[in-house]
Amino acid sequence: MSSLSRELVFLILQFLDEEKFKETVHKLEQESGFFFNMKYFEDEVHNGNWDEVEKYLSGFTKVDDNRYSMKIFFEIRKQKYLEALDKHDRSKGVEILVKDLKVFATFNEELFKEITQLLTLENFRENEQLSKYGDTKSARAIMLVELKKLIEANPLFRDKLQFPNLKNSRLRTLINQSLNWQHQLCKNPRPNPDIKTLFVDHSCGQPNGARAPSPANNPLLGSLPKAGAFPPLGAHGPFQPAPAQVPAPLAGWMSNPSTVTHPGVSGAAIGLGASSMPAALKHPRTPPSNPSVDYPSADSEHVAKRTRPMGISDEVNLPVNVLPVPFQGHGHSQAFGAPDDLPRAVARILNQGSSPMSMDFHPVQQSLLLVGTNVGDIALWEVGSRERLVSKNFKVWDLSACSMPLQAALVKDPAVSVNRVIWSPDGSLFGVAYSRHIVQIYSYHVGEEVRQHLEIDAHTGGVNDIAFSHPNKQLCVITCGDDKAIKVWDATNGTKQYTFEGHEAPVYSVCPHYKENIQFIFSTAVDGKIKAWLYDNMGSRVDYEAPGRWCTTMAYSADGTRLFSCGTSKEGESYIVEWNESEGAVKRTYQGFRKRSLGVVQFDTTKNRYLAAGDDFSIKFWDMDNVQPLTSFDADGGLPASPRIRFNKDGSLLAVSTNDNGLKILANSDGMRLLRTLENLSYDASRSAEAPKPTINPISAAAAAAAAATSAGLAERSASVTAIAGMNGGARNMVDVKPRITEESSDKSKIWKLTEINEPSQCRSLRLPENLRVTKISRLIFTNSGNAILALASNAIHLLWKWQRSDRNSNGKATASVSPQLWQPPSGILMTNDVADTNPEEAVPCFALSKNDSYVMSASGGKISLFNMMTFKTMATFMPPPPAATFLAFHPQDNNIIAIGMDDSTIQIYNVRVDEVKSKLKGHSKRITGLAFSHALNVLISSGADSQLCVWNTDGWEKQKSRFLQVPAGRTPTALSDTRVQFHQDQIHFLVVHETQLAIYETTKLDYIKQWVPRDSSAPITYATFSCDSQLVYASFSDASVCVFIAAGLRLRCRINPNAYLPSSVSSNVHPLVIAAHPSEPNEFALGLSDGGVHDQNKPRDDKMANKSMNSFICLALDTLPNLA
């Protein structure tokens, strides 16, 4: 049977199981022999259904196949025999002896005689070997343990004990895809076909002269292939890959058989190792003529290689015999340890003056709150200092430019309400949607006033929602309104880009998103309809009904992987549901709403774990994985029936509207520390005689606040692995980089004072244990879950330190207060890179960790190795040198795509799953030393030992720009000097690290915004990295000092001298080679050190010297850090 037919059997098994055909499922398992259902086998053994047990086994093995099989059948028949004797049913015992056990006499006659003699005993327990036989139930359980061991050891059961990892209803999905394809081939495709049978091919009849858009011109459907364009993968002709793939969030929604009136189009290939990557990568377009890109030809050896059943994805879609095991600690445990960490304490009460209708926290400054009210006012609050920074009443900026209907409406009734306020992704703009026709876009830069940017007469009637998006790498504004339309506007000049029409009622909300590089918009209308649109003019791709069928909003979790909606019906029934994007169906409905909500319920999500909604005069919370309410707070009373709510980005603050035209700010412990520190900074700034008139720079204030807040809370919180206790957790961007830099003046030096850390008493340090005698740490990274750190030593061995939960470390996160465990799997194996014929000490090491912490891709001068992080097993090796890999980076949307920098100056875009080089990029003249992806701009930044920066478009891999670093005068870099790059959290700016400088660049123009150069006498820079929130830059130097910079202006704020963290016994040549920033705590980082001559490789080391190698890795935690204001 071919592999495809075998896979079809698995799909049928899944379908039968889902449809509850239990007996048929097990019959097919037995007859096919493809999957041994251990759970079913155990149940039958426990129930003593011996005939069924043997019948089921017969589909996989026979008595005389091997010694394992013989032992399995013998144990079963012996148990059946003893149970008959225990019931004193000797006739049954004799029957079993003759029919079932006699076959074993041929192999062991003495054993058969001994079994026969049991018939002569009144109680077979008189036999010494059976004296401990208990009752039937316990005897079956004991035997089952032995049977499972035998089955697992039996080679005939290999690869048959694990069912493939399939998405739900996979067979149904494939049938839908087939119907979609048939529908594309219809000569007169109807927009809503009625498919009633699978027995014949689908075709649409002539729709009375009406003709739907041709699928050949529909970008979502993809172009129709020419005949014979896709050859069969095997003997089964129908099993061929489809030509194109719709983004998963839309494909599933259009292919759900239970509710959709027309099947959607999803072209996922049916075949070996079908990939989840975007279609553009599976079937690349004809490459443009670009001399900087080498596209493999159709007959190249890479393309000709057969598909391998291997790959990496978020779902860890691997072969049956490679079990995807999630890395410990990864998942929800990293969000909030308990409901106590939800923002529930009332920290601020603010008087807005009119009723808040919509709120949004700044994406960079966690305590900056934008508010829109029912009388058209907007306000900007710094909630830490309780200061209203901006207050504006509604006013049309240019009435003459407005449409006559708007002018007439304002004359008739000038009352206007704000329906929605929202910040742009980088916080440089915010939009306001009003109840009358228009939206207003303001620009805002920290330290500057709010300025009018755009006023758009967007819709006839009210503008019900507004959002920002980046289609085609261009910032756009999306609006919807009472005129039943959705419109897309250029955020720079206000020109209209698209108009989407198709709703039959006013459009209530929009939710833009992207997956697999496909940008799309969900929209909801007040008739309950949900539609989805691509940025084209081809109409809606989805037509669904939301629970409640009235006012519904949609939102994704912060990581963009889970989709939720919240709606309230006209009768007051409220719903929050999670959608199954692969099927377009409601996955779960959350319980706990008031039977009749008073008003439309608002909701929000935070930390990829929690949902919150304002209902019944309180805020209700749910865990995303549990439909029952987690808890509810009334915020000390005074809330309206359906309060408006909004989390800040890191979930430490929650804004809630009140009955008396005000706001309450709820905070957890992190939020309380942040707010207290901001308040203190405001007071200090007002008293400073050296400072200008007391205005607070929210970004710098936030940095300082977080610094003090974190140091104050170190006793309460884990301070992860290398903790320079500093900045508050939460995502911040570089929106203020340019203004801050251009506004710098000499008098500010009086306020910003450099702090020197010289003594061990000023910080806490932790040297991580290791007994492998590594020479130096070459690469270092925290796991994404933050509970472990992975290092690659110069001898090609990987080290993994894991922090366990304990009384001293309740959340199990990395901390300098508790020593971690140097972890290895029970097998004791090490993750060791291939070193070929090279000296690993001289090679350029590199590695990259998958975002689910399950795999690490690594190289040390030899082949690239793919390791399983749970088992340390080598899953694959590929790309033997030359050339050797020098840098690795996973594609942000697809773990199967890897950018590999080479020592021959090329960059190879490699598809792990199909073992194929998609593109080879040429633009550098020396080895590649840095790679970084921007998912917002769809670009790859590369850097090389040639001190050159290149920008590559990830759609076609064309080189867009390049620029050489400006090496400071008088500075001569070494021949092998590395240039590294790292994107800021805003995905627009990036950090460049070179031994002669640090620099911040803007990506689209490749202009450097700020540069910091060490003094002539200073030691070279060895490494630098952003903190996780991009507010700070940590840099190490070859003299072992570590410096902390404010990222916005690359202003040096703190220097940690080596005496503060290195023991006096350590050689003066020891210095940090690499720094790793904690993924969620911006105040924490780790250092990987050189050995600097601590031990001599040329002579044996005694235990005393071996212990000194513990200095290869150090964690730091500063107990105090000066104010950064």
Side-chain angles (χ1 to χ4, degrees):
M1 181 179 287
S2 75
S3 60
L4 286 177
S5 296
R6 187 174 186 273
E7 291 181 3
L8 180 59
V9 172
F10 280 112
L11 296 178
I12 295 171
L13 285 172
Q14 183 196 44
F15 173 78
L16 293 173
D17 182 66
E18 290 173 342
E19 297 298 321
K20 310 301 182 186
F21 294 108
K22 296 299 183 184
E23 292 185 10
T24 310
V25 168
H26 302 312
K27 181 68 174 176
L28 181 55
E29 290 168 352
Q30 174 220 326
E31 288 192 342
S32 67
F34 290 160
F35 173 62
F36 185 83
N37 191 325
M38 187 67 81
K39 178 66 169 62
Y40 172 69
F41 179 75
E42 290 176 11
D43 291 343
E44 294 303 301
V45 169
H46 279 304
N47 295 330
N49 299 329
W50 304 118
D51 290 343
E52 178 58 27
V53 167
E54 288 210 24
K55 184 178 178 182
Y56 190 71
L57 272 173
S58 67
F60 303 88
T61 185
K62 301 293 187 291
V63 174
D64 56 355
D65 279 344
N66 57 42
R67 60 189 180 91
Y68 299 103
S69 299
M70 184 177 296
K71 178 69 170 171
I72 291 170
F73 280 97
F74 174 74
E75 291 295 332
I76 291 171
R77 294 175 183 183
K78 182 185 74 172
Q79 179 65 26
K80 182 168 62 170
Y81 176 63
L82 294 178
E83 289 183 14
L85 296 183
D86 206 26
K87 295 177 182 177
H88 303 287
D89 190 345
R90 296 188 180 277
S91 59
K92 182 67 173 177
V94 170
E95 179 185 350
I96 295 170
L97 187 67
V98 174
K99 290 180 59 179
D100 297 332
L101 290 171
K102 191 172 183 179
V103 65
F104 300 104
T106 307
F107 307 99
N108 193 331
E109 188 172 354
E110 290 300 318
L111 178 62
F112 182 71
K113 288 180 180 179
E114 188 175 358
I115 291 174
T116 303
Q117 289 174 0
L118 296 178
L119 287 169
T120 65
L121 302 177
E122 182 64 25
N123 187 337
F124 62 79
R125 294 174 180 82
E126 298 172 17
N127 182 291
E128 183 179 356
Q129 297 183 43
L130 297 173
S131 60
K132 295 184 179 180
Y133 184 95
D135 58 13
T136 297
K137 183 177 180 180
S138 62
R140 289 176 180 173
I142 293 170
M143 178 194 66
L144 190 55
V145 173
E146 180 67 17
L147 290 180
K148 290 175 68 175
K149 292 179 180 178
L150 292 168
I151 290 171
E152 290 169 356
N154 194 329
L156 294 176
F157 289 83
R158 191 165 297 154
D159 299 338
K160 297 181 180 180
L161 300 178
Q162 180 69 30
F163 198 83
N165 185 15
L166 304 176
K167 290 187 176 181
N168 294 339
S169 305
R170 179 62 181 156
L171 182 60
R172 192 185 295 274
T173 300
L174 293 175
I175 292 173
N176 284 331
Q177 292 170 353
S178 173
L179 293 172
N180 297 337
W181 185 239
Q182 293 173 28
H183 183 56
Q184 289 186 61
L185 298 178
C186 291
K187 294 182 178 180
N188 301 292
R190 294 179 181 175
N192 297 305
D194 185 12
I195 300 175
K196 296 181 178 179
T197 181
L198 300 178
F199 293 160
V200 297
D201 287 349
H202 161 72
S203 63
C204 295
Q206 186 71 21
N208 299 324
R211 184 178 179 86
S214 169
N217 300 320
N218 191 327
L220 182 62
L221 303 181
S223 59
L224 295 177
K226 298 177 181 179
F230 299 99
L233 292 180
H236 297 267
F239 293 94
Q240 300 176 13
Q245 187 172 5
V246 177
L250 297 187
W253 282 60
M254 291 183 294
S255 59
N256 185 342
S258 60
T259 54
V260 174
T261 55
H262 63 287
V265 179
S266 179
I270 306 176
L272 291 174
S275 158
S276 63
M277 72 190 72
L281 293 179
K282 283 209 276 190
H283 305 293
R285 62 179 182 268
T286 303
S289 54
N290 185 349
S292 66
V293 184
D294 284 353
Y295 285 84
S297 61
D299 57 351
S300 83
E301 63 174 350
H302 291 294
V303 177
K305 287 183 180 180
R306 66 180 178 84
T307 302
R308 297 193 309 179
M310 180 198 135
I312 314 170
S313 70
D314 290 339
E315 298 170 0
V316 197
N317 185 8
L318 292 168
V320 176
N321 60 338
V322 182
L323 298 180
V325 184
F327 191 76
Q328 288 184 349
H330 182 68
H332 288 329
S333 61
Q334 68 191 18
F336 289 119
D340 288 341
D341 286 328
L342 289 168
R344 60 192 302 177
V346 178
R348 296 286 186 273
I349 299 177
L350 309 175
N351 181 19
Q352 174 60 43
S354 51
S355 179
M357 300 298 291
S358 177
M359 302 172 289
D360 196 27
F361 278 98
H362 194 278
V364 176
Q365 162 55 7
Q366 298 284 315
S367 58
L368 195 64
L369 179 65
L370 177 65
V371 180
T373 77
N374 64 336
V375 296
D377 295 347
I378 59 171
L380 197 56
W381 289 89
E382 172 46 68
V383 298
S385 62
R386 297 181 174 87
E387 182 180 0
R388 182 163 15 197
L389 304 177
V390 174
S391 180
K392 289 185 177 294
N393 305 118
F394 172 73
K395 179 182 178 181
V396 177
W397 301 345
D398 185 358
L399 189 61
S400 63
C402 294
S403 63
M404 292 307 298
L406 172 57
Q407 295 184 40
L410 291 175
V411 169
K412 182 177 180 181
D413 183 3
V416 173
S417 171
V418 172
N419 283 336
R420 181 72 187 271
V421 293
I422 190 168
W423 288 99
S424 65
D426 65 357
S428 62
L429 301 173
F430 65 82
V432 186
Y434 292 98
S435 60
R436 296 294 179 91
H437 292 247
I438 66 171
V439 298
Q440 292 178 342
I441 311 296
Y442 290 87
S443 66
Y444 176 74
H445 293 284
V446 178
E448 298 180 6
E449 294 184 356
V450 169
R451 295 173 180 164
Q452 298 175 358
H453 179 64
L454 287 175
E455 185 174 60
I456 304 172
D457 190 345
H459 296 269
T460 302
V463 184
N464 296 320
D465 201 3
I466 183 172
F468 288 92
S469 184
H470 272 102
N472 306 317
K473 304 174 187 139
Q474 177 185 10
L475 183 64
C476 289
V477 178
I478 303 168
T479 62
C480 64
D482 289 343
D483 56 3
K484 309 175 187 177
I486 301 106
K487 298 180 182 180
V488 180
W489 315 84
D490 187 307
T492 303
N493 54 34
T495 58
K496 186 164 61 178
Q497 305 289 324
Y498 301 98
T499 298
F500 302 131
E501 296 179 329
H503 277 292
E504 297 177 357
V507 184
Y508 184 73
S509 70
V510 289
C511 177
H513 196 57
Y514 73 92
K515 282 199 174 182
E516 301 177 2
N517 294 325
I518 305 296
Q519 301 268 355
F520 55 92
I521 305 167
F522 282 116
S523 62
T524 69
V526 296
D527 60 358
K529 296 293 185 182
I530 297 175
K531 294 181 182 290
W533 319 80
L534 295 184
Y535 290 88
D536 56 26
N537 295 307
M538 302 305 296
S540 169
R541 267 50 174 210
V542 163
D543 189 1
Y544 268 74
E545 289 189 353
R549 299 189 182 184
W550 194 38
C551 296
T552 297
T553 55
M554 305 184 79
Y556 277 89
S557 56
D559 59 8
T561 61
R562 302 176 70 171
L563 177 62
F564 303 89
S565 70
C566 176
T568 303
S569 71
K570 293 180 180 179
E571 293 76 27
E573 295 179 352
S574 294
Y575 304 84
I576 292 182
V577 302
E578 180 178 5
W579 292 90
N580 186 328
E581 288 188 271
S582 64
E583 300 178 6
V586 172
K587 183 176 182 179
R588 53 172 60 91
T589 301
Y590 297 90
Q591 310 297 320
F593 281 106
R594 177 189 175 102
K595 288 186 178 181
R596 289 290 184 269
S597 298
L598 303 175
V600 176
V601 169
Q602 269 196 6
F603 87 122
D604 201 2
T605 73
T606 187
K607 283 292 192 181
N608 301 314
R609 181 176 182 183
Y610 289 106
L611 299 166
D615 179 57
D616 198 15
F617 306 94
S618 65
I619 308 106
K620 298 179 178 179
F621 295 87
W622 292 262
D623 187 300
M624 289 180 179
D625 295 326
N626 191 338
V627 298
Q628 297 301 323
L630 184 64
T631 186
S632 65
F633 310 140
D634 66 359
D636 298 339
L639 302 186
S642 299
R644 313 287 180 173
I645 65 169
R646 190 67 168 173
F647 284 105
N648 70 344
K649 192 165 186 178
D650 70 359
S652 63
L653 301 176
L654 176 63
V656 186
S657 64
T658 63
N659 260 332
D660 55 357
N661 296 334
L663 299 164
K664 288 187 177 182
I665 307 299
L666 309 186
N668 61 14
S669 56
D670 288 344
M672 292 295 286
R673 282 193 292 271
L674 171 64
L675 296 179
R676 282 198 300 267
T677 311
L678 283 165
E679 187 174 35
N680 293 338
L681 287 170
S682 176
Y683 177 69
D684 292 342
S686 67
R687 295 199 311 166
S688 174
E690 300 173 310
K693 187 176 178 179
T695 58
I696 297 177
N697 181 325
I699 298 295
S700 59
T710 307
S711 64
L714 277 172
E716 305 170 23
R717 292 197 304 164
S718 63
S720 170
V721 189
T722 293
I724 289 249
M727 316 315 154
N728 176 55
R732 294 178 171 88
N733 298 335
M734 196 168 284
V735 58
D736 68 321
V737 167
K738 208 152 193 171
R740 283 281 302 277
I741 291 166
T742 56
E743 292 171 7
E744 288 177 358
S745 59
S746 58
D747 63 338
K748 288 191 177 181
S749 61
K750 298 177 183 178
I751 303 173
W752 296 74
K753 296 179 180 179
L754 176 66
T755 300
E756 298 277 354
I757 304 295
N758 296 306
E759 301 297 329
S761 60
Q762 294 176 271
C763 66
R764 289 179 292 123
S765 65
L766 174 68
R767 283 172 287 281
L768 271 63
E770 59 89 4
N771 53 13
L772 299 176
R773 299 186 179 184
V774 300
T775 54
K776 61 184 178 182
I777 299 296
S778 300
R779 296 292 177 264
L780 199 63
I781 191 172
F782 281 88
T783 57
N784 295 292
S785 58
N787 69 346
I789 192 163
L790 177 69
L792 173 58
S794 59
N795 60 357
I797 294 176
H798 297 77
L799 306 173
L800 181 66
W801 289 274
K802 294 171 68 173
W803 276 258
Q804 306 296 328
R805 292 181 184 273
S806 65
D807 293 339
R808 295 180 59 197
N809 188 18
S810 59
N811 61 7
K813 294 302 179 69
T815 171
S817 303
V818 178
S819 183
Q821 173 191 3
L822 180 59
W823 191 85
Q824 283 181 267
S827 63
I829 65 174
L830 297 172
M831 290 189 289
T832 306
N833 280 336
D834 171 71
V835 295
D837 298 326
T838 63
N839 179 358
E841 298 285 346
E842 299 175 356
V844 179
C846 54
F847 68 8
L849 184 65
S850 65
K851 57 187 175 183
N852 58 11
D853 290 338
S854 294
Y855 307 96
V856 63
M857 196 81 68
S858 186
S860 296
K863 297 178 183 177
I864 301 173
S865 300
L866 175 65
F867 296 101
N868 184 306
M869 284 281 283
M870 273 302 296
T871 64
F872 282 14
K873 290 182 179 178
T874 304
M875 300 174 61
T877 58
F878 49 92
M879 288 197 175
T886 57
F887 206 92
L888 299 167
F890 281 101
H891 192 286
Q893 273 85 43
D894 189 346
N895 273 344
N896 289 296
I897 303 298
I898 304 170
I900 305 174
M902 296 294 192
D903 64 4
D904 67 350
S905 77
T906 64
I907 304 166
Q908 299 196 24
I909 308 302
Y910 179 72
N911 187 319
V912 180
R913 182 180 293 279
V914 299
D915 188 22
E916 176 182 336
V917 174
K918 308 296 293 185
S919 298
K920 184 182 287 187
L921 316 183
K922 294 180 179 180
H924 290 273
S925 60
K926 294 182 181 179
R927 64 181 172 85
I928 304 301
T929 58
L931 296 168
F933 282 97
S934 168
H935 59 76
L937 300 177
N938 291 332
V939 297
L940 170 69
I941 299 288
S942 64
S943 58
D946 57 1
S947 300
Q948 185 182 190
L949 305 173
C950 294
V951 182
W952 310 86
N953 184 295
T954 57
D955 292 333
W957 301 110
E958 303 94 350
K959 186 166 73 171
Q960 294 181 331
K961 287 181 179 295
S962 64
R963 178 159 299 183
F964 285 91
L965 285 183
Q966 297 184 17
V967 178
R971 290 279 194 170
T972 304
T974 59
L976 298 178
S977 179
D978 287 353
T979 305
R980 301 193 179 276
V981 289
Q982 181 190 8
F983 266 102
H984 185 281
Q985 198 173 55
D986 66 5
Q987 295 285 295
I988 296 171
H989 301 85
F990 63 93
L991 172 69
V992 176
V993 183
H994 188 264
E995 67 176 38
T996 66
Q997 63 184 282
L998 301 175
I1000 303 292
Y1001 277 75
E1002 193 276 333
T1003 305
T1004 55
K1005 296 180 180 178
L1006 209 54
D1007 290 335
Y1008 84 86
I1009 298 174
K1010 183 65 179 177
Q1011 184 185 52
W1012 182 87
V1013 178
R1015 295 174 181 173
D1016 293 342
S1017 59
S1018 300
I1021 300 168
T1022 59
Y1023 207 92
T1025 183
F1026 277 124
S1027 60
C1028 67
D1029 63 356
S1030 298
Q1031 280 291 295
L1032 300 178
V1033 173
Y1034 300 119
S1036 59
F1037 296 79
S1038 60
D1039 63 358
S1041 63
V1042 178
C1043 291
V1044 184
F1045 297 82
I1046 299 299
L1050 287 181
R1051 182 180 291 275
L1052 179 59
R1053 289 297 300 118
C1054 177
R1055 179 184 292 114
I1056 308 164
N1057 292 306
N1059 292 338
Y1061 69 92
L1062 287 176
S1064 58
S1065 59
V1066 173
S1067 165
S1068 61
N1069 293 327
V1070 172
H1071 62 272
L1073 291 176
V1074 62
I1075 300 181
H1078 192 283
S1080 59
E1081 293 292 340
N1083 59 298
E1084 299 172 5
F1085 64 90
L1087 303 175
L1089 306 180
S1090 66
D1091 69 343
V1094 171
H1095 56 266
D1096 188 348
Q1097 290 283 0
N1098 297 321
K1099 59 183 179 181
R1101 294 181 295 168
D1102 56 21
D1103 289 342
K1104 183 178 179 180
M1105 293 197 71
N1107 288 337
K1108 289 185 179 180
S1109 70
M1110 290 174 64
N1111 293 317
S1112 294
F1113 182 89
I1114 285 186
C1115 288
L1116 289 174
L1118 295 188
D1119 292 316
T1120 60
L1121 195 67
N1123 282 344
L1124 303 181

